[in-house]
Amino acid sequence: MSKDRKKFLFYVRYTLSVIGVLLLLSSIFELIRISRSDELSSSVQSPTMVSHRVLFLCSYNPLYYTYNDQIEGLKETLYPNGIEFDVAYMDTKKYGSEHDIEMFHTFFKDRLKKDNGYEAVLLGDDDAVKFALKYQDELFKDLPMVFFGVNDKNFAEEAAKTPMMTGFYEMDYLSDCIDLAIALFPERKELVALHDNSAAGIADEEIFYSLDLEYPGYKFTDINSALLTQDELVAALQGISSDDAVLLYMTCYSDCEGNTYSVLDRTNTVVKYADVPIIRNYSGGREQGVLGGVYMDFRHQCRDAALIIVDILENGADISNYALDLDTPSKSVFSYPLMQKYGISKKQLPIFTEYIGEPENLFTYYSKVLPAAVMIVTALLILIVTSNMAVSQQRIDNEQLKRSKEDLEKSRNRLKYQADHDELSDLLNRRAIVDTLARKVKSGDKYAIVMVDIDGFKDVNENYGHSMADYIIKHLSKELKEMSEKGNWLTGRYGGDEFIIMIPNVNLDTDSAEVIQILEAFRKPIVVGEETILLSASIGVSNSNFESLPEQHIINAEIAMYEAKNMGKNTAFIYADEMQLRLREESRLKNLVIEAFDRDQFYILYQPKVETLTGKVVGFEALVRAEFIQEGPGVFIPIVEKNGWVTRLGRIVTEKVIKQLAVWKAQGKELLPVSINFSSKQVNDLGYVSFLSDLLKEYDIPAKYIEIEITESLLLEKSIQSDRLFAELKGLGIRILMDDFGTGYSSLGYLIYVPVDEIKLDKSLVDNYLVPEKDGFIGDVIKLVHDINKTIIIEGVEEEWQFKRLCDFQADAVQGYYFSKPLDPSSAIDFQVEID
């Protein structure tokens, strides 16, 4: 190519580059002109066919301050995935009484009869979740339910344990708001909390006063709007020191006269009469005079909740794989004009803060256009430089082509390694190790498959965070990798905190050196900075039998690993074929229990309780049985509890007992109290006492004829639910009995404080201590129970001499096969004791 031609081509490229820059600048000015237009253009999305319908059960009405953010969050995720949703409003802020809820239940039940095509349910806030829990079997049976906006953490955790339910906890950012208030106004030494007596208001008040000691020198006071009239609230707001206070505006929508105010109405009152900076830990009010604050991003939480629904409906995901989410991002929003009033700069606020009422400057006004324009200019300039480098680049292309084959080979090997190995642990991933075992291990080989699971690893995640959890996985993976290299083992990461190991040429037992070595590796303390983490592992082992394929041994090892966990963890268990038989037997029993529920095959037997002083029958214990289940309740009740059916069975037993009392009453029989066993797992049945009360009223049975037998564990839990249960039972006039005393904590000292009327001494104590030279212990227990003004009944009495001895000890009543086995209703009500 001649010099003149090269020069000509250079000027052509240069001229074209200049023209391109001029055209680009012209396009930038055109974009700026368009951006200043008052008309807004929007892109039209391709329509998505509706393939699913879900229900959003909202606790409040559409005017509630969180509603718009919740709806927008749901739309952003559901609509693009072809899922439409209907909204049902409970409006419990205005209509939250038990009567209102029952009226809503009647309306809603009728609505579902007309339109029952919902495939899932979204629950907004606490009242909707309580409603869904109460009527799950009746209205939402087998429907996946995802809740959000629940601000009672304990309630959220309990609700998430319910089958077919998970959700999101509504975090409270009150402490962040207090930190901001103190940082922004260090000269103001009084913090005033404005709240009401709602669940959120009380929670805010508790958090507020819990921070008092963290800020010495600051005065913490509060105003409870639920205790004041509107005029008294105005006076209280006017009485706040304008020079020395900051107002924390929390949940406060009710007054002492039963009125409920909207956010707009309440905010106008607060802003008008409180001449102080106002910080709010919820959305709303920034446009009306609230300075600002940090609060939970409801829109973000609802998007995440909707994603779970999409995964379930579109991908067939199992809702039980989703644990309760305790962490939702926050938003910081401040009023820019009020920031100017109080002399607050942006530097004093979180970096992600949004500002309401901020004047737009040139950069802000064109911020959406200028970055794109700059990138276009940069790209064009790069292209100009690239075109000038084209000739030079061509000279090195041949050399690069020579190296390309080697680079491609390296890339292929690297990609294959990444595809077969877990990124975090650098061990074989689940797919790769299963494929490798299937490929390398023959049916005639001798080997052992070991499944290892870290005990309590979920607690590490919750207490120390994901970074610490990842570090521990890496540390333990390194330990296993070193052991594997020395012993020629094949090791992989099977799941989040599960590992799988193939050890060749051995069959293992629990005392094998390899098993002990693995257990010790997981027991060694892990030191991270100032923290020392102590862990353990549960190990399942399946030894080759020269018949089964490796895939079956993996399943067997996993079964054995779960057995090790059931044995108390921190141990190993060797798989045996009997385990499969046991699993099949459990499955058979489960099917029989399901059939018993579906066909109403449960029935009640009644075992008499005999008064020692008179020899008369003074009551019965109701014992549930099931037709076609030969095994007793000691076998099928654990199946019921394991599968979460205990609430359903508890209500069935209660209803059958009360109906039977009504039958006896109609027959003219003398009624006696019947005690019903109440499982500790029934404590989550929040509507049980109302259910019991309704039955007693329906069948006209006085409460004195029903007694509830509970276990020590339920008494010692001291949870909100258990305390509420005992209080409601006492309020209804129901006697509470402690069942199986002697099998648990069994300290007579704590009996003084627990709300029980009668103690039932377990048969195990009778068997062990009602014998010569030891029976004085039984007498002492009876005397001590009497000393604390409680009665005692002795279970498991099977011999005449036992009964006579217990009479000597002045036991109040006895129960056992000496008098009678459990009887059918007609035999029980006519049963009389014959004592020599």
Side-chain angles (χ1 to χ4, degrees):
M1 183 182 294
S2 65
K3 273 189 175 183
D4 291 338
R5 182 171 177 79
K6 288 182 180 181
K7 191 174 183 180
F8 172 78
L9 292 174
F10 170 78
Y11 282 116
V12 169
R13 288 198 304 272
Y14 182 82
T15 302
L16 291 174
S17 298
V18 172
I19 293 172
V21 171
L22 292 174
L23 289 173
L24 185 59
L25 291 173
S26 299
S27 66
I28 291 173
F29 287 113
E30 178 64 12
L31 286 173
I32 293 174
R33 185 189 67 80
I34 294 173
S35 70
R36 299 188 66 177
S37 172
D38 292 332
E39 296 181 0
L40 299 175
S41 63
S42 59
S43 60
V44 179
Q45 295 183 346
S46 299
T48 302
M49 296 299 293
V50 173
S51 55
H52 303 285
R53 293 180 63 235
V54 300
L55 174 68
F56 172 26
L57 182 60
C58 179
S59 294
Y60 309 126
N61 63 37
L63 298 179
Y64 196 65
Y65 73 96
T66 63
Y67 177 79
N68 288 335
D69 286 339
Q70 290 174 341
I71 287 294
E72 291 305 315
L74 296 178
K75 286 180 179 179
E76 287 176 17
T77 301
L78 295 179
Y79 283 359
N81 288 281
I83 301 175
E84 67 177 9
F85 65 94
D86 295 335
V87 186
Y89 306 101
M90 295 181 68
D91 200 9
T92 56
K93 280 293 183 184
K94 291 184 177 179
Y95 309 104
S97 68
E98 290 187 9
H99 175 72
D100 293 331
I101 299 301
E102 281 301 318
M103 293 292 290
F104 176 80
H105 166 253
T106 302
F107 153 75
F108 186 73
K109 183 177 179 181
D110 183 65
R111 170 178 170 175
L112 287 183
K113 289 180 181 178
K114 299 175 182 178
D115 187 358
N116 60 356
Y118 300 119
E119 299 173 67
V121 181
L122 288 154
L123 304 170
D125 296 281
D126 303 59
D127 291 331
V129 181
K130 293 176 183 176
F131 182 89
L133 287 172
K134 183 175 181 179
Y135 299 108
Q136 182 177 18
D137 288 342
E138 178 186 358
L139 304 177
F140 309 117
K141 186 174 180 61
D142 298 327
L143 289 181
M145 294 186 284
V146 181
F147 62 78
F148 47 82
V150 173
N151 52 30
D152 184 334
K153 186 176 181 182
N154 289 332
F155 176 56
E157 290 173 341
E158 291 301 321
K161 297 177 183 177
T162 302
M164 301 298 289
M165 183 177 288
T166 188
F168 296 78
Y169 166 61
E170 179 182 329
M171 295 185 66
D172 192 303
Y173 289 92
L174 180 57
S175 61
D176 300 71
C177 290
I178 292 176
D179 289 340
L180 269 175
I182 291 175
L184 295 175
F185 303 101
E187 75 285 355
R188 294 175 179 261
K189 299 299 181 180
E190 181 179 1
L191 300 178
V192 182
L194 177 59
H195 66 91
D196 60 16
N197 280 342
S198 65
I202 293 172
D204 282 337
E205 179 192 16
E206 291 175 352
I207 295 173
F208 175 78
Y209 280 113
S210 71
L211 299 170
D212 189 354
L213 296 178
E214 295 183 19
Y215 299 100
Y218 285 84
K219 180 181 178 182
F220 281 61
T221 61
D222 73 286
I223 299 173
N224 189 340
S225 67
L227 304 178
L228 306 174
T229 64
Q230 179 71 358
D231 292 337
E232 289 171 342
L233 174 61
V234 169
L237 293 172
Q238 290 175 331
I240 299 175
S241 172
S242 60
D243 298 323
D244 198 41
V246 176
L247 179 62
L248 278 303
Y249 173 21
M250 305 185 300
T251 303
C252 59
Y253 306 123
S254 62
D255 63 16
C256 68
E257 296 176 331
N259 299 314
T260 300
Y261 299 87
S262 67
V263 176
L264 177 62
D265 193 3
R266 184 59 92 199
T267 302
N268 286 337
T269 299
V270 173
V271 170
K272 181 176 180 180
Y273 295 105
D275 186 20
V276 292
I278 303 172
I279 301 294
R280 180 162 168 77
N281 61 322
Y282 295 103
S283 62
R286 274 68 172 175
E287 296 86 350
Q288 284 79 43
V290 173
L291 173 59
V294 181
Y295 60 91
M296 193 190 77
D297 190 343
F298 289 97
R299 190 167 183 165
H300 190 287
Q301 187 174 85
C302 288
R303 284 200 302 267
D304 290 346
L307 283 174
I308 297 178
I309 295 295
V310 172
D311 196 22
I312 292 171
L313 298 184
E314 288 291 301
N315 304 321
D318 187 350
I319 193 172
S320 63
N321 293 331
Y322 286 95
L324 175 68
D325 195 315
L326 298 173
D327 187 12
T328 297
S330 62
K331 293 184 71 173
S332 173
V333 181
F334 274 74
S335 167
Y336 191 85
L338 288 175
M339 288 170 57
Q340 300 296 302
K341 173 183 175 180
Y342 290 111
I344 299 171
S345 69
K346 290 185 177 181
K347 294 180 180 179
Q348 294 175 271
L349 299 177
I351 191 171
F352 55 85
T353 298
E354 298 175 14
Y355 300 97
I356 294 175
E358 180 182 12
E360 290 186 334
N361 55 36
L362 183 64
F363 177 78
T364 303
Y365 193 83
Y366 296 117
S367 59
K368 294 182 179 179
V369 178
L370 289 177
V374 171
M375 285 189 289
I376 294 172
V377 172
T378 303
L380 197 56
L381 290 174
I382 291 173
L383 288 174
I384 294 172
V385 173
T386 303
S387 65
N388 289 327
M389 295 173 60
V391 175
S392 299
Q393 185 64 39
Q394 189 174 3
R395 295 173 183 172
I396 62 175
D397 282 346
N398 290 336
E399 182 180 350
Q400 288 182 336
L401 286 172
K402 292 178 183 178
R403 296 196 301 265
S404 64
K405 184 177 181 180
E406 181 181 350
D407 293 340
L408 287 172
E409 185 66 22
K410 290 180 180 179
S411 297
R412 188 183 71 82
N413 293 335
R414 183 172 63 254
L415 289 172
K416 185 177 185 306
Y417 184 87
Q418 292 173 346
D420 291 343
H421 288 74
D422 177 66
E423 182 178 359
L424 181 62
S425 65
D426 200 34
L427 297 173
L428 289 173
N429 57 35
R430 180 174 183 150
R431 177 197 57 78
I433 193 167
V434 172
D435 291 347
T436 303
L437 288 172
R439 188 174 63 254
K440 289 188 175 183
V441 178
K442 305 297 186 292
S443 60
D445 292 346
K446 182 179 182 181
Y447 61 93
I449 298 294
V450 180
M451 185 74 72
V452 186
D453 182 86
I454 304 174
D455 295 329
F457 194 65
K458 179 182 177 182
D459 295 335
V460 175
N461 266 306
E462 292 178 352
N463 296 330
Y464 297 98
H466 294 299
S467 297
M468 176 69 81
D470 289 348
Y471 175 83
I472 290 172
I473 291 294
K474 290 179 182 178
H475 174 82
L476 294 173
S477 299
K478 182 180 179 182
E479 294 275 328
L480 290 177
K481 197 169 186 179
E482 291 175 357
M483 286 189 283
S484 300
E485 290 173 353
K486 293 179 181 178
N488 196 28
W489 304 348
L490 185 64
T491 302
R493 187 182 180 193
Y494 195 67
D497 58 346
E498 294 180 351
F499 301 89
I500 187 170
I501 304 169
M502 190 281 286
I503 303 179
N505 305 317
V506 296
N507 278 164
L508 303 175
D509 57 37
T510 55
D511 296 326
S512 297
E514 292 88 346
V515 172
I516 294 173
Q517 184 182 10
I518 296 170
L519 284 172
E520 289 301 324
F522 281 77
R523 290 168 179 164
K524 287 192 298 186
I526 301 174
V527 179
V528 185
E530 296 180 356
E531 297 287 348
T532 300
I533 309 298
L534 296 176
L535 296 171
S536 63
S538 297
I539 292 179
V541 178
S542 179
N543 292 311
S544 61
N545 55 9
F546 310 110
E547 294 179 0
S548 302
L549 296 173
E551 291 90 335
Q552 184 60 49
H553 286 295
I554 293 174
I555 296 172
N556 296 345
E558 191 166 14
I559 294 172
M561 181 266 290
Y562 283 116
E563 189 66 26
K565 284 192 174 294
N566 291 334
M567 292 170 60
K569 305 179 181 179
N570 192 23
T571 189
F573 193 85
I574 310 301
Y575 174 83
D577 290 337
E578 290 79 6
M579 296 178 69
Q580 282 283 11
L581 295 175
R582 188 169 74 248
L583 288 173
R584 286 196 288 270
E585 176 64 13
E586 183 177 323
S587 178
R588 181 188 71 82
L589 283 171
K590 179 179 178 181
N591 290 332
L592 288 175
V593 171
I594 292 173
E595 185 175 354
F597 275 119
D598 293 341
R599 299 188 178 183
D600 190 22
Q601 294 175 349
F602 291 106
Y603 63 95
I604 308 299
L605 296 180
Y606 298 84
Q607 186 168 39
K609 301 176 184 179
V610 179
E611 187 177 44
T612 57
L613 185 62
T614 63
K616 293 183 179 180
V617 176
V618 293
F620 303 97
E621 179 179 1
L623 301 170
V624 66
R625 300 291 188 268
E627 300 176 19
F628 308 112
I629 300 182
Q630 296 179 354
E631 295 80 358
V635 176
F636 71 76
I637 290 297
I639 300 292
V640 171
E641 292 180 339
K642 181 177 181 180
N643 289 276
W645 302 327
V646 68
T647 294
R648 183 179 178 187
L649 181 59
R651 291 200 175 199
I652 288 173
V653 171
T654 302
E655 185 171 4
K656 286 183 179 292
V657 168
I658 294 176
K659 284 182 177 179
Q660 186 58 54
L661 284 166
V663 170
W664 286 336
K665 182 179 179 182
Q667 293 173 348
K669 304 292 185 180
E670 179 185 358
L671 296 186
L672 296 173
V674 179
S675 61
I676 300 171
N677 289 286
F678 191 89
S679 168
S680 61
K681 298 184 183 296
Q682 284 179 259
V683 75
N684 294 320
D685 185 1
L686 302 180
Y688 176 79
V689 178
S690 295
F691 172 77
L692 173 60
S693 177
D694 292 342
L695 286 173
L696 292 172
K697 292 176 183 177
E698 180 181 352
Y699 291 98
D700 191 25
I701 300 297
K704 66 180 181 179
Y705 292 117
I706 291 295
E707 300 173 337
I708 298 297
E709 295 193 16
I710 59 177
T711 59
E712 285 179 288
S713 61
L714 186 56
L715 283 164
L716 295 174
E717 279 179 7
K718 292 295 292 177
S719 65
I720 294 174
Q721 289 91 334
S722 63
D723 289 346
R724 173 185 171 186
L725 171 70
F726 302 145
E728 290 180 345
L729 287 173
K730 287 292 186 181
L732 196 59
I734 302 294
R735 293 183 79 239
I736 301 176
L737 283 58
M738 180 191 289
D739 193 17
D740 298 335
F741 180 75
T743 61
Y745 182 74
S746 301
S747 168
L748 290 168
Y750 79 88
L751 292 180
I752 300 172
Y753 307 103
V754 295
V756 298
D757 303 290
E758 186 169 81
I759 310 299
K760 295 191 73 177
L761 196 67
D762 188 69
K763 184 180 185 299
S764 62
L765 283 182
V766 174
D767 294 341
N768 290 328
Y769 291 99
L770 194 57
V771 295
E773 298 182 1
K774 289 186 178 180
D775 57 0
F777 171 75
I778 299 294
D780 290 340
V781 172
I782 293 172
K783 185 177 184 303
L784 286 170
V785 171
H786 286 163
D787 287 344
I788 59 175
N789 296 319
K790 299 183 189 296
T791 57
I792 185 167
I793 183 170
I794 313 300
E795 296 182 296
V797 177
E798 298 179 353
E799 304 288 344
E800 181 181 6
W801 68 267
Q802 291 178 325
F803 172 66
K804 290 182 177 180
R805 194 67 174 133
L806 291 169
C807 287
D808 295 339
F809 289 142
Q810 298 182 0
D812 297 286
V814 296
Q815 176 183 340
Y817 274 49
Y818 171 63
F819 296 105
S820 174
K821 64 181 180 180
L823 302 172
D824 61 74
S826 60
S827 300
I829 195 63
D830 294 327
F831 179 78
Q832 293 184 357
V833 177
E834 295 182 4
I835 300 177
D836 297 334

